[in-house]
Amino acid sequence: MSSRSLDPISRSAAWRISLWATLAFAAGTLFVFAVLHRFVANDIRRRSDAWLSGEVEVLGDVAARTPKDRLYSRVVSEVAELASREVPDRQIPKKSENDSVFFLQADTDGPPKLWVGAGDGAATLAAIRAAKVFKDVPRDVKVEDGHVPFRVAAVRIEDGSYIYLGLSEQDQLRVLRTLRARFIAIWLMIVLLGFVVVFYATWKMLRYVREITGTASRIGQTDLSSRVPDSGRMDEVGQLARTLNHMLDRIQNTVRQLHTITDSLAHDLRSPLTAIRGKLETVLTTDLSADQAESIVSAIDELDRLTEFLNTSLDVAEAKADALRLSRTSIDLDELVRDMLDLYEPSMSEKGLKVQIHSAGECRISADPALLHRVVGNLLENEVKHLPASCTVRIQLCVLDESVHLVLEDDGPGFDDVLKRDLFQQRIRGRESRGHGLGLAFVQAVVRVHGGTVVAENRPEGGARLRVILPHNGSLTLAEEGLSLT
């Protein structure tokens, strides 16, 4: 699978949706496990405390009833050993020595009287006295050098001594560790499976959104006949697709009506203008004085300017409404610029303008040749009309970041600060301009329809800079404004 096909997956919102859903599920299950773990731990402790409290009472009763003779220690030890075998959740030790339960009898001070268990009874007794275990309520006791604490219960017998019964918490901790390990393993598998399921479902659902996006991006750039694919479902995505298709039908009808109106308007206005021009040219063929002929020629020029103004106004209106009809073909922008420069070079030379062109060579784009000729012609005509004599015009053409950059720079007075923000608005012109203020508006409208942008700015060293950015190789991605070209 190519990287191009994997690219939509890596940028899909399905990752974020799946991640947040999985995190929420994981946090919820962890909270449930924490509550369950606490409940199990409390239940194990409750059972252990109940066993300790019952057994310590039994041992205390046995110790009180057994005669204090030579058999006392043996009898009590055997009873304590039997009690240790009934420990809840007890794991059978691998060695014969029992280190999970101890029995201890001692006075309030002094050494132990009787010790049954593993380890040092004196150290255990010191830990018990430090923890002040003198009641039948079990308490935790940490023996010095011991890795696992003991749960210890105590009872006082008739001779004033205390019987202590301790239960190691290692079996309880083992049960809890096993529970945690199994839960983590199951939790990881469920979270991973949940992420895969959520991602697949989200990716499948967003596939319709991607198709809607692709169709919407083609509308206005090629034709208005494309429609959003309808899944046929009655869910939100299906309703969105049907709503967009209804909206596209209305837009297409509106654009068709706009084309009809503009075509009719252009025909109704051009016909009388053409008729007037024809009659004026016929009059020029007759015998006229020089003043009369000059007036008629001036009137014909004004008619031509009016016709051009009409055509440009209609084109700008259609372009701003995304209804401009394009006849795209692959053209070499470098060749087009040089052809237009050859056409305007006599006018520039007559005014004393110097022209420098720097091009990286062939720059092919998908565009309407007629409209691009008019765009370049408007840019060059602006230089001829508004630059003082002896100025220099520099034209740069290069490919940068998958876009073609056409830059026109000059060392003239630059753009008027008052008009700079509204340069691309219709009928915005300088104080000394004799035009209609449609040149740059037409340039921006055509470039935008082609998926590009236009940036106008004053150079820091003086003069103006106009930068036209068009997609390279027919790409329809809008170029970003603000890219510097040095």
Side-chain angles (χ1 to χ4, degrees):
M1 184 179 296
S2 65
S3 60
R4 183 179 295 273
S5 61
L6 289 175
D7 190 54
I9 299 180
S10 63
R11 295 185 299 175
S12 174
W15 289 106
R16 295 191 299 273
I17 297 174
S18 304
L19 180 61
W20 284 112
T22 304
L23 288 176
F25 173 75
T29 51
L30 281 177
F31 175 77
V32 172
F33 172 72
V35 175
L36 179 63
H37 185 275
R38 186 177 183 84
F39 173 78
V40 173
N42 290 336
D43 183 68
I44 293 176
R45 172 157 291 188
R46 180 184 58 79
R47 292 170 54 194
S48 300
D49 288 351
W51 180 85
L52 280 172
S53 298
E55 292 298 328
V56 77
E57 290 288 342
V58 173
L59 291 174
D61 185 62
V62 170
R65 294 175 180 273
T66 302
K68 305 299 189 291
D69 52 17
R70 289 180 298 177
L71 297 178
Y72 175 78
S73 298
R74 182 176 179 182
V75 172
V76 175
S77 300
E78 289 182 355
V79 173
E81 181 66 24
L82 290 174
S84 67
R85 298 177 183 175
E86 301 176 0
V87 175
D89 301 318
R90 179 171 180 260
Q91 187 179 22
I92 299 176
K94 296 181 180 179
K95 53 186 179 179
S96 59
E97 187 179 37
N98 182 18
D99 59 354
S100 62
V101 178
F102 71 79
F103 171 82
L104 176 63
Q105 182 179 1
D107 293 326
T108 54
D109 54 8
K113 290 183 176 181
L114 182 61
W115 165 257
V116 178
D120 185 5
T124 304
L125 179 60
I128 291 174
R129 288 171 176 171
K132 298 180 180 180
V133 182
F134 298 112
K135 298 180 180 179
D136 57 354
V137 178
R139 299 188 63 177
D140 287 327
V141 174
K142 184 72 167 90
V143 182
E144 186 178 357
D145 298 332
H147 299 290
V148 181
F150 280 84
R151 193 75 174 166
V152 180
V155 64
R156 188 172 185 178
I157 58 178
E158 295 178 355
D159 61 358
S161 62
Y162 284 88
I163 300 294
Y164 299 100
L165 181 63
L167 175 63
S168 173
E169 296 185 359
Q170 62 181 358
D171 292 327
Q172 302 176 24
L173 297 177
R174 174 185 54 80
V175 172
L176 294 177
R177 281 197 303 269
T178 303
L179 177 65
R180 287 195 297 269
R182 292 178 179 177
F183 171 80
I184 290 174
I186 297 174
W187 176 76
L188 288 175
M189 289 188 293
I190 292 178
V191 168
L192 181 61
L193 179 62
F195 177 83
V196 173
V197 171
V198 173
F199 178 81
Y200 175 76
T202 307
W203 169 260
K204 190 173 181 180
M205 180 187 67
L206 293 179
R207 181 183 63 185
Y208 297 105
V209 178
R210 290 191 299 273
E211 293 176 353
I212 292 173
T213 303
T215 302
S217 65
R218 292 192 299 269
I219 294 172
Q221 296 172 346
T222 54
D223 59 78
L224 292 173
S225 61
S226 300
R227 291 296 179 268
V228 173
D230 188 357
S231 62
R233 301 177 181 177
M234 298 305 297
D235 56 7
E236 291 82 356
V237 177
Q239 294 176 1
L240 174 62
R242 287 187 288 275
T243 301
L244 286 176
N245 285 334
H246 290 316
M247 181 187 69
L248 292 175
D249 291 336
R250 293 194 298 269
I251 292 175
Q252 187 176 20
N253 291 332
T254 302
V255 172
R256 188 181 295 113
Q257 293 173 4
L258 176 63
H259 285 161
T260 302
I261 293 173
T262 54
D263 290 343
S264 300
L265 180 62
H267 178 270
D268 292 342
L269 290 177
R270 286 171 184 159
S271 295
L273 291 176
T274 303
I276 295 173
R277 193 179 193 284
K279 291 179 180 179
L280 290 175
E281 289 178 344
T282 303
V283 173
L284 278 178
T285 60
T286 61
D287 294 333
L288 298 173
S289 64
D291 292 339
Q292 291 174 334
E294 184 178 353
S295 298
I296 293 176
V297 169
S298 176
I300 292 175
D301 291 339
E302 291 297 329
L303 285 175
D304 290 340
R305 292 180 67 247
L306 181 59
T307 303
E308 181 184 0
F309 171 75
L310 172 63
N311 294 333
T312 305
S313 296
L314 293 176
D315 289 339
V316 171
E318 288 187 348
K320 287 185 176 296
D322 289 332
L324 190 61
R325 288 159 284 195
L326 301 180
S327 298
R328 284 183 179 269
T329 184
S330 179
I331 62 174
D332 182 6
L333 188 58
D334 176 75
E335 181 181 355
L336 186 148
V337 171
R338 292 182 184 276
D339 290 342
M340 294 301 297
L341 191 59
D342 291 340
L343 183 64
Y344 278 87
E345 188 172 7
S347 301
M348 292 182 168
S349 299
E350 183 180 353
K351 195 172 182 180
L353 300 179
K354 299 177 183 178
V355 181
Q356 299 175 357
I357 183 168
H358 303 279
S359 176
E362 184 181 38
C363 294
R364 304 207 69 84
I365 61 173
S366 176
D368 187 310
L371 292 176
L372 258 294
H373 274 90
R374 293 174 61 184
V375 165
V376 177
N378 279 355
L379 295 177
L380 295 176
E381 189 172 352
N382 277 342
E383 301 289 355
V384 174
K385 288 182 177 179
H386 302 297
L387 278 183
S390 301
C391 288
T392 301
V393 179
R394 284 177 292 273
I395 302 175
Q396 295 176 319
L397 184 63
C398 67
V399 179
L400 181 63
D401 295 337
E402 298 184 356
S403 299
V404 174
H405 291 244
L406 174 62
V407 182
L408 276 78
E409 297 179 339
D410 60 59
D411 53 2
F415 297 113
D416 192 336
D417 292 335
V418 178
L419 303 177
K420 191 164 56 175
R421 293 181 303 175
D422 302 320
L423 282 175
F424 299 108
Q425 299 298 321
Q426 293 177 254
R427 297 175 180 83
I428 297 298
R429 57 183 181 177
R431 288 185 291 268
E432 299 180 359
S433 175
R434 298 180 60 246
H436 299 288
L438 293 176
L440 291 181
F442 175 78
V443 169
Q444 187 198 46
V446 172
V447 171
R448 188 177 67 87
V449 169
H450 282 83
T453 55
V454 184
V455 180
E457 57 189 357
N458 286 327
R459 302 169 60 213
E461 60 271 23
R465 177 187 292 128
L466 268 167
R467 180 170 52 213
V468 177
I469 307 173
L470 290 169
H472 188 35
N473 290 332
S475 172
L476 296 177
T477 304
L478 291 179
E480 296 179 355
E481 290 190 16
L483 292 173
S484 62
L485 182 66
T486 58

